[in-house]
Amino acid sequence: MLRGAVGRQRQASSRRCHLLVFSVGGRKLAAKTEEVGGISAWTTSISVPSCTPFVSSVIRRGQSIFPVYDLAGMLNVRVKGSQRLCLMAKQPAGAMAICIDEEMPVLHSLDIAKIQTYRGQDLDAAGCFADEFEEVPIISLSRLGAA
């Protein structure tokens, strides 16, 4: 009897999606936590020639160099704040940096049933959810910059 209850509890908790909610240009976005490599202070980027849309600079972290995905440019907004943050996105070929607003990102746990289809045309979203009075797109960090 007790074993069955524990099994149901595990099944119910696995129906949750863990998200990191952040903002770019004042616009709220979310990403699955397993696609986030970390958050840190933004450092100056270095422009480089590139044929990949929205990737035209790199940042240095210690001895490593990471491409920067210009999510703000893709959304036609400007990153807000003087102390911007760097979100490291996990990619199949390695990590990619994204400059985000200085507002600290928030961890959010959501029942998978509350994820809906994103109807907007401005970005490729894996879905969305309602947060207070706005629709928050869930973007796939692992697909950013893919051709």
Side-chain angles (χ1 to χ4, degrees):
M1 195 82 150
L2 184 59
R3 209 174 274 198
V6 171
R8 277 180 275 178
Q9 184 178 16
R10 272 194 209 136
Q11 185 179 13
S13 67
S14 68
R15 296 201 29 84
R16 303 214 48 91
C17 181
H18 303 286
L19 304 169
L20 181 75
V21 179
F22 59 97
S23 64
V24 176
R27 182 171 177 188
K28 274 189 179 179
L29 301 167
K32 292 182 179 178
T33 56
E34 61 264 16
E35 293 184 348
V36 176
I39 303 287
S40 60
W42 181 256
T43 59
T44 305
S45 60
I46 304 160
S47 295
V48 295
S50 173
C51 294
T52 305
F54 302 106
V55 178
S56 60
S57 62
V58 295
I59 62 167
R60 173 175 245 140
R61 296 262 184 225
Q63 297 300 315
S64 300
I65 295 177
F66 300 98
V68 174
Y69 186 83
D70 185 9
L71 185 57
M74 189 201 70
L75 296 171
N76 292 317
V77 296
R78 295 192 69 159
V79 178
K80 293 184 175 185
S82 59
Q83 296 179 343
R84 297 173 290 172
L85 298 173
C86 177
L87 183 149
M88 294 303 291
K90 293 180 183 176
Q91 295 271 304
M96 182 181 282
I98 301 170
C99 186
I100 64 173
D101 294 350
E102 69 181 355
E103 181 182 338
M104 187 57 69
V106 176
L107 291 172
H108 193 78
S109 183
L110 180 70
D111 187 329
I112 290 174
K114 294 191 179 198
I115 297 176
Q116 303 168 350
T117 302
Y118 179 65
R119 299 188 201 297
Q121 302 296 317
D122 57 343
L123 62 115
D124 180 22
C128 68
F129 68 96
D131 183 35
E132 296 175 0
F133 300 106
E134 67 183 305
E135 182 179 69
V136 180
I138 303 168
I139 62 172
S140 175
L141 296 177
S142 63
R143 290 193 318 229
L144 287 179

